[in-house]
Amino acid sequence: MLNIVLFGPPGAGKGTQSACLIDSYNLVHLSTGDIFRSNMKEGTELGTLARSYIDKGALVPDEVTISMLEAEVNGNPDAKGFIFDGFPRTTAQAEALDLFLKSKGIEITAMLALEVEEQELISRLLERGKSSGRADDQNRDVIKNRIQVYETETAILKDYYTAQNKFVGVEGVGSIESITQRLCKEIDALV
Ligand code: AMP
């Protein structure tokens, strides 16, 4: 089973690249951000809770995010593998994911980390904000906060997966197709 953590700061292209990869490798795409946004749209209790964090550019609490992600994995019993997009984002989430997958007899195959520098991230997010309808893409302070949260809480997960020999860095700048090719090359080397 191929289970990829597609990693990187906000605006690195995780969602775009996930969409390019799922068909080639027959994977289920689980984006915690997308799941929160669909709950926000539907006005569920989870959506209301998530919005209070997302609109500020803060992380939704671990226990909420972890149980939501586990329910999504359990809801896809026939999956040939998963792309985890935007999860894990904290060490507690990474540890919970490892334990949860282990209980199912599976594991993360690799973390593919898209590398993009900060100025490029900010301009990509502001550009996306013109059409995405996402409040968190339209405000420069919220964007800066999201990047700051990534630096302080999430980037450390590169060390977490390096310690497991599962970290792979990938240049995240260039055309969408060229980045997909780089990712595919790394995935093909894993399978
Ligand atoms: P994304 O679509 O991945 O950029 O996520 C949008 C927002 O959803 C983030 O800024 C967080 O507020 C929230 N979020 C998404 N994934 C997580 C996660 N794994 N842990 C906590 N909050 C998350």
Side-chain angles (χ1 to χ4, degrees), residues 89-104:
R89 262 176 154 100
T90 63
T91 302
Q93 291 180 14
E95 289 171 350
L97 181 62
D98 274 353
L99 273 179
F100 172 67
L101 294 181
K102 196 170 175 197
S103 76
K104 302 175 90 64

Side-chain angles (χ1 to χ4, degrees), residues 34-70:
D34 284 352
I35 302 165
F36 285 134
R37 280 185 291 278
S38 84
N39 276 274
M40 284 157 59
K41 220 185 212 166
E42 287 161 21
T44 66
E45 208 175 306
L46 174 63
T48 307
L49 175 90
R51 185 186 295 281
S52 64
Y53 295 92
I54 291 176
D55 283 355
K56 288 186 286 210
L59 293 184
V60 179
D62 281 336
E63 52 289 8
V64 176
T65 309
I66 290 166
S67 57
M68 180 183 84
L69 188 279
E70 292 184 357

